[in-house]
Amino acid sequence: MYPILARYGPFFLYSYTVVMALGILAGLGLAFYLGKRDGIKSELWIDGLLLAVIAGLISGRVVFVIANISYYSENLSEIPLIWRGGLSYHGVLIAGLVFLAAWTRFKGHASGQIALL
């Protein structure tokens, strides 16, 4: 697989980004399907997915920075620059799943609809 799928001027389309977006869309599609079957409102999944993606991106960056602490300890200004690359898929996956599971458990108890844990 090629790391860069397309380039338009200074913008790059990375294969990692496409695979991550497809995974998110597949998860959302599965959530809609199972939610419809079980009578769960789709708005709950959209809200949770958006927050889980944000939590995953933050955690993915934090794990990447920790793994490369020798570089980032000398270049502190580059820590928030995620568009330059540098996410740990371990951090993204773990934080996204943990956040979504906790969120659905909390929202499920509050609304009486869903609980994954």
Side-chain angles (χ1 to χ4, degrees):
M1 179 161 33
Y2 296 102
I4 299 173
L5 298 177
R7 179 180 178 187
Y8 185 73
F11 301 102
F12 295 92
L13 178 62
Y14 294 98
S15 57
Y16 176 79
T17 305
V18 172
V19 171
M20 188 169 35
L22 289 174
I24 291 168
L25 291 174
L28 186 60
L30 180 62
F32 280 165
Y33 172 76
L34 295 175
K36 187 175 183 179
R37 182 190 71 186
D38 296 337
I40 300 169
K41 295 179 184 176
S42 60
E43 293 85 24
L44 291 173
W45 291 114
I46 293 172
D47 293 346
L49 179 70
L50 178 62
L51 295 172
V53 167
I54 291 169
L57 288 175
I58 291 169
S59 175
R61 185 59 176 183
V62 167
V63 170
F64 183 82
V65 168
I66 291 170
N68 297 288
I69 196 68
S70 60
Y71 174 79
Y72 287 105
S73 64
E74 297 175 6
N75 301 293
L76 295 175
S77 63
E78 292 188 22
I79 290 175
L81 306 179
I82 64 170
W83 55 87
R84 290 189 179 176
L87 292 175
S88 164
Y89 75 91
H90 302 96
V92 172
L93 182 64
I94 292 169
L97 290 175
V98 167
F99 178 84
L100 191 57
W103 184 85
T104 55
R105 183 172 174 90
F106 172 74
K107 283 301 238 181
H109 289 300
S111 68
Q113 287 198 24
I114 54 178
L116 294 179
L117 295 176

